[in-house]
Amino acid sequence: MEDPRISRVKPRSGREIVLFPLPLQGHITPMLQLANILYSRGFSITIVHTHFNSPKSSNYPHFNFQPIPDGLLEGQASTVDFIALVTLMNVTCVGPFRDCLAKLFSDASNDRIPCCLITDPVWHFTQAVADELNIPRMALRTSSISSFLAFCALPLMREKGYLPLQDSRLEEAVPELPPLKVKDLHVINSKDPEDVLRLIIAMAETMRASAGLIFNSFEELEPTKLAECRRRFPVPIFTVGPFHKQSVETSTSLLPQDRSSISWLDKQEKPKSVLYVSFGSLSIVSEAQFLEIASGLANSGRPFLWVVRPGSVRGSEWLEALPSGFLEGLDGRGHIVKWAPQHEVLAHPAVGGFWTHNGWNSTLEAICEGVPLMCMPFFGDQRVNARYVCNEWRVGLHLEYKVERKEIEDLIKRLMVSDEGDEMREKMKSLKREADECLQDGGSSYRSLQKLTEYLVSF
Ligand code: UDX
């Protein structure tokens, strides 16, 4: 049955887009949001997905879902080494994906005319499959444009001797990639470091061969990087973000969201007084870091809402490592949940700061709500995002040296109760304004979406 919350503005007979998200939370979310946006422009939607981390199809009764076997054996379906995981799935999914795509496109009828495939570029094998079947394939890169270009520069960084990272050079600036320092380079730990470089090269090559690129970002936020990307990837490029502000709020969450986050925030009397703390869906801290974080939060004297994802503290299931009576001792000043409705949390008037790992979705969501950041990146694009937040856009403070209670306490106070924090809040407000404006009639993302729609119809 048609979901009554979802309106289709320009119904167009039968044109269908087939989307294939990478099965990781930070990648599934923007892909499903893009699907919702395209649905609202009149396209029918089919989502091809792996069994591993499959999206909740019941949240999308208006989409067609096509599961494919991912060929993973028991024990291989783990995100602990997700580079190894996606490298493997780029091999095991080829056959099942090809069969599924061939069937979807050959079963076309007057009601269903599949016209384009959109995949995560990390699924680099999909370009060869699309070429073989003569299907146009576009790529949705779910990161920022800046971090994408820094990612593509890794082979060059190795040639120039920045990689592998050397402790003595971590604080050096990288003149080829300002404002990055050597330690911000996208190093992702994997059992075979060559896998990371191979993945980047394959991804970039197949993006160049694609029918076009889509980014969940907006022109005003990254103008020079967008121009550079256009020079280096001579295919049509569409910046249509921020996605979540244009797509109906349908949960893309793989974990249940704890609504007590909102009822607890409702009880906070002072606006912008609460620090929201969440490190996304993949980050893992050591028990020692967890204890420093807990003490820093407690000693800051600020109210906090803290997401501790089960399994995110090494060696613990959830909160076992917390000193007993930790929350009780705070007398209601802290609230811990396993997973929160993050969009609603960030939009809540009680929230005044966000301690984040700088995943791109979280960073963009904070920009859209005008919430300044305390940045603690873990790996990959998060380091680049954090550097841009703190050094380029100047809307956050970087916890970049030590995860240590005194440092944390000081940074929280600077962010939440100081003139410096207020200045960042003001700068965030102007970024938020730009994010709002780019979506309005005539705005940059609005126009880009129009062009994308016309482009998709042309296939
Ligand atoms: C991963 C990578 O870690 C990140 O660097 C990359 O940019 C995208 O893929 P993840 O770590 O999950 O993503 O972070 P992020 O991109 O911030 O995405 C997390 C999503 O989960 C956000 O959309 C956020 O709203 C949602 N979330 C997070 C919740 O709904 N509830 C929570 O409690 C925490």
Side-chain angles (χ1 to χ4, degrees):
M1 212 177 95
E2 193 82 348
D3 185 329
R5 291 167 308 164
I6 299 173
S7 60
R8 308 180 83 187
V9 288
K10 285 184 191 159
R12 210 171 283 109
S13 57
R15 293 232 169 232
E16 183 179 84
I17 312 291
V18 178
L19 300 100
F20 185 32
L22 194 76
L24 299 175
Q25 178 75 76
H27 294 245
I28 294 173
T29 297
M31 186 66 90
L32 289 176
Q33 287 165 344
L34 176 67
N36 256 344
I37 294 170
L38 294 176
Y39 183 85
S40 75
R41 308 294 289 193
F43 294 98
S44 299
I45 299 295
T46 288
I47 307 286
V48 178
H49 64 90
T50 54
H51 285 290
F52 170 66
N53 268 354
S54 61
K56 288 205 177 67
S57 55
S58 56
N59 286 340
Y60 297 86
H62 49 306
F63 294 171
N64 168 31
F65 283 84
Q66 288 290 329
I68 57 164
D70 42 45
L72 297 175
L73 304 173
E74 202 159 330
Q76 288 179 326
S78 155
T79 54
V80 172
D81 183 344
F82 61 86
I83 293 290
L85 176 73
V86 299
T87 300
L88 179 65
M89 284 199 294
N90 262 293
V91 177
T92 55
C93 289
V94 177
F97 180 76
R98 186 197 293 115
D99 295 347
C100 175
L101 200 66
K103 184 156 184 348
L104 282 172
F105 277 73
S106 64
D107 279 356
S109 64
N110 283 346
D111 303 332
R112 265 197 64 248
I113 311 161
C115 54
C116 184
L117 168 69
I118 302 179
T119 81
D120 195 293
V122 177
W123 287 131
H124 52 79
F125 79 87
T126 57
Q127 186 62 44
V129 173
D131 287 345
E132 183 189 324
L133 300 174
N134 209 12
I135 292 168
R137 174 234 179 203
M138 297 184 73
L140 164 64
R141 178 60 188 168
T142 57
S143 71
S144 69
I145 305 169
S146 320
S147 71
F148 166 62
L149 290 176
F151 196 41
C152 293
L154 281 196
L156 174 72
M157 294 296 108
R158 188 168 68 162
E159 256 174 53
K160 297 225 165 199
Y162 294 112
L163 297 175
L165 292 181
Q166 299 143 51
D167 284 348
S168 58
R169 299 188 66 183
L170 294 180
E171 296 300 325
E172 264 179 47
V174 182
E176 295 85 354
L177 294 172
L180 302 192
K181 292 184 181 180
V182 169
K183 67 180 180 187
D184 302 327
L185 295 175
H186 271 51
V187 177
I188 306 177
N189 289 328
S190 175
K191 67 177 173 13
D192 182 354
E194 288 302 309
D195 273 353
V196 182
L197 289 177
R198 274 193 289 266
L199 189 70
I200 295 166
I201 292 167
M203 191 175 106
E205 272 173 12
T206 50
M207 285 170 90
R208 245 176 229 114
S210 74
L213 310 182
I214 305 169
F215 284 96
N216 183 14
S217 185
F218 56 101
E219 201 173 326
E220 291 75 5
L221 189 63
E222 309 184 90
T224 50
K225 290 292 159 185
L226 176 58
E228 183 182 337
C229 194
R230 289 196 197 286
R231 278 196 304 278
R232 295 184 42 194
F233 289 81
V235 292
I237 296 182
F238 303 90
T239 45
V240 232
F243 290 172
H244 71 287
K245 285 288 173 186
Q246 304 165 72
S247 124
V248 268
E249 186 70 41
T250 315
S251 178
T252 54
S253 196
L254 296 173
L255 295 168
Q257 298 178 326
D258 187 336
R259 300 290 312 166
S260 75
S261 315
I262 303 299
S263 45
W264 183 82
L265 285 173
D266 286 343
K267 284 194 224 126
Q268 307 305 310
E269 283 165 13
K270 265 181 83 184
K272 305 202 186 310
S273 59
V274 174
L275 180 72
Y276 170 57
V277 187
S278 167
F279 307 131
S281 63
L282 297 171
S283 313
I284 292 179
V285 294
S286 66
E287 191 177 314
Q289 287 172 327
F290 180 66
L291 290 175
E292 292 302 312
I293 292 168
S295 300
L297 286 169
N299 299 345
S300 74
R302 303 292 106 206
F304 63 87
L305 169 64
W306 184 10
V307 175
V308 182
R309 200 185 73 246
S312 65
V313 183
R314 199 168 294 124
S316 299
E317 282 193 12
W318 192 37
L319 299 178
E320 304 88 285
L322 266 191
S324 65
F326 172 80
L327 273 181
E328 295 74 6
L330 294 174
D331 213 12
R333 189 163 54 76
H335 187 59
I336 300 182
V337 294
K338 292 182 175 166
W339 196 247
Q342 183 161 303
H343 296 175
E344 263 181 88
V345 166
L346 288 171
H348 198 285
V351 171
F354 178 14
W355 182 1
T356 175
H357 68 310
N358 287 109
W360 183 238
N361 294 295
S362 295
T363 305
L364 200 56
E365 288 160 14
I367 289 174
C368 288
E369 302 308 334
V371 179
L373 301 170
M374 182 162 142
C375 302
M376 187 172 79
F378 286 70
F379 57 79
D381 66 328
Q382 301 162 12
R383 298 205 177 107
V384 180
N385 297 337
R387 189 63 64 196
Y388 271 78
V389 164
C390 300
N391 294 47
E392 181 92 0
W393 303 320
R394 299 185 183 277
V395 291
L397 297 171
H398 214 151
L399 183 69
E400 69 172 301
Y401 299 107
K402 279 184 273 171
V403 183
E404 190 266 302
R405 61 192 69 190
K406 185 74 180 77
E407 188 102 2
I408 293 170
E409 178 190 335
D410 290 348
L411 226 58
I412 295 177
K413 287 180 179 159
R414 276 171 63 195
L415 186 74
M416 302 300 288
V417 279
S418 79
D419 291 347
E420 192 186 7
D422 288 343
E423 261 171 48
M424 286 178 193
R425 211 158 278 115
E426 281 308 307
K427 286 209 183 92
M428 255 309 193
K429 268 197 211 153
S430 71
L431 282 190
K432 171 180 164 41
R433 213 166 19 249
E434 287 182 346
D436 290 342
E437 283 170 7
C438 78
L439 298 178
Q440 284 162 17
D441 197 343
S444 63
S445 293
Y446 178 94
R447 282 181 279 117
S448 197
L449 178 60
Q450 295 273 83
K451 285 191 190 141
L452 174 62
T453 309
E454 286 158 20
Y455 189 55
L456 290 171
V457 171
S458 75
F459 289 126

